[in-house]
Amino acid sequence: MRKTIVAGNWKMNKTPKEALELIETLKPLVAERDDVEVVFCPPFIDLMLAVEATKGTNIKIGAQNMYYEESGAYTGEVAPNMVKEAGCEYVILGHSERRAYFGETDEMINKKVLKAFEHDLKPIICVGETLEQREQGITEDLVRLQIKIALKDVPAEKAVLAVIAYEPVWAIGTGKTATSVQAEEVCAAIRKVLCEIYGEETAEKIRIQYGGSVNAGNAAELFAMPNIDGGLVGGASLKADFAKIVNY
Ligand code: PEP
């Protein structure tokens, strides 16, 4: 039985003070749901205080990115051991905004995934197609390639700890949600790829989230689909609405 996981990607929002305010607002609102894993992914600058502020609660903290080198002359980057030592359990890797604005490739994402596991961090690996790619009919081919490269050299015992976030680029921040049928179709295809790589037993254990304009009104229908094990939430994770998604 896969445990539903709802993660909030705060993106480049919330100063340390604002982060604390949001955490204090959400903490009691998500406290009851012990059958759902709740993860907040604030900006790097907020991570340590977010870890501190959520100690003893059911909320886990994740970073939104990290670099794949251990240390050195990489100005502006954050190393895996820094993310780990800050107290993070998760790290989002390969978000479409990182791919589109910061030139991240599937190969870079694979290096980051391997590093995350080396440092005992669980990666939330984002995949998904643009509107143009969907219209070209290559969604499943593309997602398949993204998954196969991201998980290259990842053994099954690590892969079960990963979360795959299917996020159609055209649905992110646009208010256009994929229908539950569209989302399920791709998530089922993702599970099939995982099955090809690792076999059915492992594939059945890996959680797949849907992301793209998830809100309090559509979460229940999306999360009820057989291959959707929760959501990666952007805009709606910055408000009390996030609690309604967790309590879908
Ligand atoms: C995201 O950033 O991962 C995301 C899904 O954003 P939104 O929920 O705002 O579409």
Side-chain angles (χ1 to χ4, degrees):
M1 191 58 186
R2 297 181 295 268
K3 187 170 185 176
T4 299
I5 175 167
V6 179
N9 172 16
W10 294 9
K11 311 197 188 196
M12 198 174 71
N13 295 292
K14 303 295 174 189
T15 64
K17 187 169 162 272
E18 291 166 346
L20 276 183
E21 283 165 8
L22 181 59
I23 290 169
E24 291 311 320
T25 305
L26 289 173
K27 242 178 3 190
L29 304 178
V30 300
E32 303 295 313
R33 202 70 202 254
D34 52 13
D35 57 332
V36 175
E37 202 171 347
V38 183
V39 186
F40 293 172
C41 301
F44 285 125
I45 194 85
D46 302 334
L47 286 177
M48 286 178 69
L49 57 89
V51 168
E52 198 53 40
T54 53
K55 257 194 193 130
T57 73
N58 60 335
I59 301 162
K60 293 169 178 171
I61 301 298
Q64 296 173 19
N65 180 34
M66 61 169 214
Y67 199 46
Y68 53 75
E69 295 291 350
E70 294 287 344
S71 65
Y74 302 103
T75 303
E77 290 295 332
V78 173
N81 66 346
M82 297 172 186
V83 172
K84 182 69 189 174
E85 209 177 300
C88 291
E89 184 167 330
Y90 285 92
V91 58
I92 299 174
L93 296 176
H95 190 280
S96 64
E97 286 152 17
R98 303 254 6 129
R99 293 177 190 256
Y101 308 147
F102 303 100
E104 290 201 10
T105 62
D106 289 320
E107 287 71 19
M108 286 164 73
I109 293 155
N110 174 240
K111 285 186 189 179
K112 292 183 180 198
V113 169
L114 292 170
K115 268 293 161 195
F117 283 126
E118 234 178 79
H119 289 269
D120 256 335
L121 290 160
K122 296 173 187 158
I124 298 175
I125 304 167
C126 303
V127 298
E129 80 290 1
T130 61
L131 185 58
E132 194 184 0
Q133 289 161 335
R134 173 160 282 263
E135 285 168 356
Q136 287 167 342
I138 59 169
T139 297
E140 287 181 22
D141 300 314
L142 179 95
V143 165
R144 177 189 167 79
L145 207 66
Q146 289 173 328
I147 302 238
K148 287 199 91 162
I149 300 175
L151 291 174
K152 186 169 171 285
D153 298 330
V154 175
E157 69 269 21
K158 298 284 186 196
V160 291
L161 302 171
V163 177
I164 309 291
Y166 167 56
E167 299 208 303
V169 178
W170 49 270
I172 297 179
T174 57
K176 267 191 228 163
T177 321
T179 64
S180 52
V181 172
Q182 279 174 323
E184 168 61 19
E185 200 171 56
V186 183
C187 291
I190 289 173
R191 195 158 323 272
K192 217 164 124 202
V193 178
L194 295 172
C195 189
E196 277 169 37
I197 307 173
Y198 295 111
E200 195 177 341
E201 200 186 325
T202 299
E204 284 300 320
K205 289 183 185 152
I206 301 175
R207 291 175 296 177
I208 303 172
Q209 295 173 311
Y210 166 78
S213 299
V214 174
N215 59 44
N218 59 27
E221 187 182 335
L222 286 160
F223 300 173
M225 301 310 275
N227 285 290
I228 301 179
D229 308 309
L232 182 55
V233 184
S237 71
L238 299 169
K239 322 178 257 196
D241 242 30
F242 184 69
K244 292 192 190 142
I245 299 173
V246 170
N247 297 306
Y248 67 97

